[in-house]
Amino acid sequence: MADINAMAKIVDDAARAGKAIPQLSGKHDYTLEEAYAVQAAAFQRRLARGEKQVGMKMGFTSRAKMIQMGLTDLVWGRLSDEMLVADGDEIDFNKYVHPRAEPELAFLLKKPLEGPVTAAEALAAVEAVAPAIEIIDSRYKKFKFSLEDVVADNSSSSGFVLGAWNKPDVDISNLGMLLEVNGRPVQIGSSAAILGHPVRSLAHAARISTQAGESLQAGWVVMAGGATAAHALNPGDYVRNMVQDLGYTGFTVSA
Ligand code: 0L1
Ligand code: MG
C-alpha cells in the first residue's frame, strides 16, 4: 500500500527547497486516488506551517496543454495565500526548479459553490473575473511525470498572479489572450480554449471539489486553467498576460 505521508513529505520538501526529484512513480506504485491523497497531505503540511487555503486551480483545461504534456485528463490543485504573487512583483528564480508561466483567467467567488452545478449556476456564484498567470513548476526532473505524479505534486502549481478584478458581466467566452515575455508575444490564445468557455472549468471545479469533500468557499479564487501551452521562464524575464476586455497582469523574474 502507498505510503501517503512519506510521499507527501518528498514533494513538499522538494517544493520548499526548489530542488528536482525523481518521479514518485519510479519507486511507488500508486493510484490516482492515492495521488490526490498525497496532494492533500502535502497541502496539510503547508497549512500546518501557517498557510491558508485561498482557492483551487484547474489544469489541463486546454488541448494545447494536454498536447504539451502528453496527458488527457483534467487535474486540479490547491492554492494557498503564500502562493499569491502580487501584481507587478518579482519572483526569486532560485526558489524554483524550472518555472513556466500560463496565461489564465481567475474567478473570485461571492458564495460557496457545491457541485454538480450548471455553467449558469457557476457564473451566478462569481463576484469578479481577472486576468491571471499561473506559475507552474513541476518538482520532477525535466518536467516529466505520470498523471499520478503531477497530481501528487499539486498539479505543478507553484504561484499565481492576479490582475484587477472586473465585474462578471463581461462576456468571457472568447477573449483574446496574449502572453508576453520582455514585450515579445510568446503565446497567443483565446479564453474559448479553456474547455470551450472558462466558466465550464469553474463548474468542473465545483463538482470535483465537492466529490473530494471540500466544496468551493466564498472569497476563494479559482484559476480556470491555461489557454495555451506553458512558457518556460528565464532569469530577468518580465512576463505579462493581456486579456481582451479584462486588462493585464504581470511579474518579473529575478536576474
Ligand atoms: O494546466 C495546468 O495547470 C497543468 C499543470 C500540470 C501539468 C504541468 O505541469 O504542465
Ligand atoms: Mg495552469
Side-chain angles (χ1 to χ4, degrees):
M1 204 180 130
D3 187 341
I4 305 296
N5 288 328
M7 288 195 280
K9 179 167 169 20
I10 293 169
V11 284
D12 183 52
D13 286 350
R16 289 181 83 191
K19 287 259 154 55
I21 52 171
Q23 293 178 46
L24 291 175
S25 54
K27 259 184 118 177
H28 305 263
D29 188 16
Y30 65 129
T31 64
L32 190 57
E33 200 181 341
E34 287 167 334
Y36 276 109
V38 174
Q39 183 193 119
F43 199 78
Q44 276 303 325
R45 294 172 66 90
R46 286 177 173 267
L47 300 181
R49 291 194 293 271
E51 296 181 34
K52 293 194 171 42
Q53 185 165 3
V54 294
M56 178 170 167
K57 72 151 275 186
M58 296 297 288
F60 293 142
T61 49
S62 72
R63 269 190 64 69
K65 270 297 307 193
M66 287 182 181
I67 290 167
Q68 182 182 34
M69 304 314 294
L71 295 173
T72 50
D73 283 354
L74 285 182
V75 293
W76 62 280
R78 296 168 167 90
L79 303 176
S80 85
D81 54 349
E82 279 278 306
M83 293 164 65
L84 177 64
V85 175
D87 187 33
D89 229 346
E90 178 176 289
I91 62 164
D92 182 353
F93 188 77
N94 297 316
K95 290 195 172 158
Y96 297 80
V97 183
H98 32 212
R100 297 178 178 180
E102 296 186 333
E104 302 211 6
L105 289 180
F107 296 104
L108 177 65
L109 297 183
K110 64 181 172 195
K111 51 185 187 186
L113 198 53
E114 279 192 20
V117 287
T118 63
E121 286 164 341
L123 197 54
V126 173
E127 170 78 24
V129 214
I133 301 172
E134 187 182 21
I135 303 168
I136 56 168
D137 188 28
S138 174
R139 272 46 76 153
Y140 302 111
K141 287 180 183 159
K142 299 191 175 165
F143 235 108
K144 293 266 183 271
F145 39 68
S146 66
L147 185 61
E148 291 77 20
D149 288 334
V150 67
V151 162
D153 185 27
N154 203 20
S155 296
S156 299
S157 202
S158 189
F160 62 107
V161 193
L162 302 172
W165 291 110
N166 293 255
K167 291 206 180 112
D169 50 9
V170 182
D171 178 0
I172 57 166
S173 60
N174 188 14
L175 300 178
M177 295 173 70
L178 175 66
L179 188 74
E180 291 176 354
V181 174
N182 303 325
R184 188 173 56 90
V186 293
Q187 294 287 341
I188 300 171
S190 157
S191 59
I194 305 168
L195 296 177
H197 191 312
V199 81
R200 291 195 188 137
S201 181
L202 179 60
H204 277 294
R207 176 182 55 78
I208 289 168
S209 63
T210 304
Q211 276 167 0
E214 309 177 13
S215 53
L216 303 176
Q217 304 296 309
W220 274 17
V221 170
V222 176
M223 296 286 286
T228 68
H231 182 81
L233 299 176
N234 290 300
D237 281 346
Y238 171 59
V239 185
R240 190 162 81 148
N241 177 25
M242 291 179 64
V243 183
Q244 182 190 351
D245 296 345
L246 293 186
Y248 61 86
T249 189
F251 66 98
T252 55
V253 184
S254 64

